[in-house]
Amino acid sequence: MEWIERLNQSMNYIEEHLTDEIDYDQLARIACCSTYHYQRMFTYMAGITLAEYIRRRKMSLAAVDLQGGEAKIIDVAQKYGYRSPTAFNRAFQSFHGIAPSSVKDEGISVKSFSPIVFRMSIKGATEMDYRIETKESFRIIGVSAPLEKEIENNFMVVPKMWEDAAKIKQYRNWQQ
């Protein structure tokens, strides 16, 4: 249970620092693990990468800032860490589907991405009937690929690896 509490404390840190540079090492320290494992576990539990989560939160709050006040686009871009209005415009359009200048137009809707809160649910307290069977030997074939320390870079490698494995299976089925 302590792990979940620490993850939620790290989410609080993110929320408090969305207008600053978010220190991934500090997030890992809060969660009492390495930066690598923090990013890996976050992606596993949240279903999106840490960088994507932070980007979505920033874009949600940027839309609120632009809708609710007289803030200039360039000021909002700088507030959320974008060095150029062009980069902010691209990120905003990618997330919301509209330009930041269109946010105040009547009838325009924007997306909202709420902060993540982790909770634990325990399941599987039911019994399961099983049996052990003996089979003849069989052959297992697989593919491998070197992975990188930065987990986000592996999101290109792993799908390719699965694609290669599927091709091998299709080729073997075709031969039979």
Side-chain angles (χ1 to χ4, degrees), residues 28-122:
R29 278 191 291 278
I30 292 168
C32 294
C33 64
S34 70
T35 304
Y36 170 79
H37 282 99
Y38 180 85
Q39 290 180 33
R40 199 172 125 237
M41 287 307 298
F42 181 90
T43 301
Y44 174 76
M45 292 181 71
I48 60 171
T49 65
L50 180 59
E52 179 62 17
Y53 171 75
I54 292 168
R55 187 182 72 81
R56 289 180 184 185
R57 287 295 300 137
K58 286 182 176 188
M59 288 298 105
S60 291
L61 295 176
V64 170
D65 288 353
L66 290 171
Q67 279 181 323
E70 297 299 318
K72 294 180 180 177
I73 294 171
I74 193 164
D75 294 334
V76 173
Q78 286 179 341
K79 177 179 179 180
Y80 291 104
Y82 288 86
R83 288 185 166 72
S84 75
T86 306
F88 177 74
N89 188 35
R90 249 187 261 123
F92 195 91
Q93 278 190 311
S94 173
F95 182 71
H96 292 288
I98 60 167
S101 57
S102 302
V103 167
K104 290 186 180 185
D105 293 349
E106 193 172 320
I108 295 295
S109 62
V110 291
K111 295 178 183 175
S112 177
F113 193 78
S114 300
I116 288 178
V117 176
F118 292 101
R119 291 194 176 93
M120 185 185 291
S121 174
I122 309 292

Side-chain angles (χ1 to χ4, degrees), residues 4-17:
I4 298 297
E5 290 171 20
R6 290 182 184 277
L7 277 175
N8 285 324
Q9 289 171 1
S10 70
M11 293 296 97
N12 292 338
Y13 173 88
I14 291 172
E15 289 302 310
E16 292 168 4
H17 293 88

